[in-house]
Amino acid sequence: MAGAITRGVLFVHSAPRALCPHLEWAAGNVLGGEVSLDWSPQPAARGLYRAEYPWQGTQGTGARLASALRGWDHLRYEVTEDASHGADGARWSHTPDLGLFHAMTDVHGNVVVPEDRVRNAMESIHDPHALRAAMDLVLGSAWDDELEAFRYAGAGAPVRWLHRVG
């Protein structure tokens, strides 16, 4: 792998069973090898399945994963990419109703809003309710609200460790 290495996680929050092998193929295509996800029923949505997959790759791998999964409308997923040498982290969230959301993140996974977007909103939006709506949009609040039930359903999911200690 050329370039700085980073890691992240692919969270498939809900997918129809028929889509599962296609998602593995798409992720494997981006990651450069076979990907086998541990699928389990999604308790928040009957008949759908969920999986998590920690990955490691060059900077930008998260964006490539999110793009590879973007075409499937009946899919809820998130891709995270940790901050690495010379690059901020990022998160991509997708829901069938809202589409794809992207935000930069800090080393703790918090959404980072660029200063110019905050200043522009403060200068151009004078109604407090409209300002709140604008900030909710840049923070991805609607995506978080829709995905929260699916995230909790994964609380008992199996964990894979990426690296060894010692």
Side-chain angles (χ1 to χ4, degrees):
M1 291 185 215
I5 302 299
T6 188
R7 64 186 78 223
V9 181
L10 165 62
F11 299 95
V12 179
H13 293 299
S14 70
R17 184 53 140 173
L19 212 53
C20 295
H22 299 284
L23 297 172
E24 291 177 351
W25 175 83
N29 219 16
V30 171
L31 297 172
E34 186 176 332
V35 170
S36 179
L37 301 176
D38 294 326
W39 295 101
S40 60
Q42 172 52 273
R46 185 177 211 159
L48 298 178
Y49 292 84
R50 64 168 320 284
E52 297 177 13
Y53 189 80
W55 57 267
Q56 183 172 323
T58 57
Q59 292 172 347
T61 297
R64 289 190 298 279
L65 274 170
S67 294
L69 303 180
R70 187 172 183 203
W72 290 302
D73 293 333
H74 302 292
L75 184 62
R76 285 178 187 85
Y77 68 88
E78 289 182 281
V79 176
T80 64
E81 180 170 313
D82 294 345
S84 57
H85 181 70
D88 293 327
R91 180 182 66 167
W92 295 263
S93 304
H94 181 272
T95 74
D97 294 334
L98 298 171
L100 189 62
F101 170 77
H102 170 258
M104 302 308 291
T105 58
D106 65 14
V107 296
H108 305 292
N110 298 307
V111 171
V112 175
V113 180
E115 179 181 345
D116 62 332
R117 289 186 78 176
V118 174
R119 288 185 188 283
N120 182 45
M122 288 172 36
E123 291 171 4
S124 63
I125 303 172
H126 302 291
D127 172 33
H129 297 292
L131 181 59
R132 167 95 186 200
M135 289 293 101
D136 280 343
L137 182 61
V138 298
L139 292 172
S141 297
W143 284 264
D144 285 338
D145 291 345
E146 187 170 331
L147 291 172
E148 199 60 25
F150 295 91
R151 292 174 183 148
Y152 278 121
V159 174
R160 288 190 198 184
W161 297 101
L162 281 178
H163 40 76
R164 289 180 246 156
V165 175

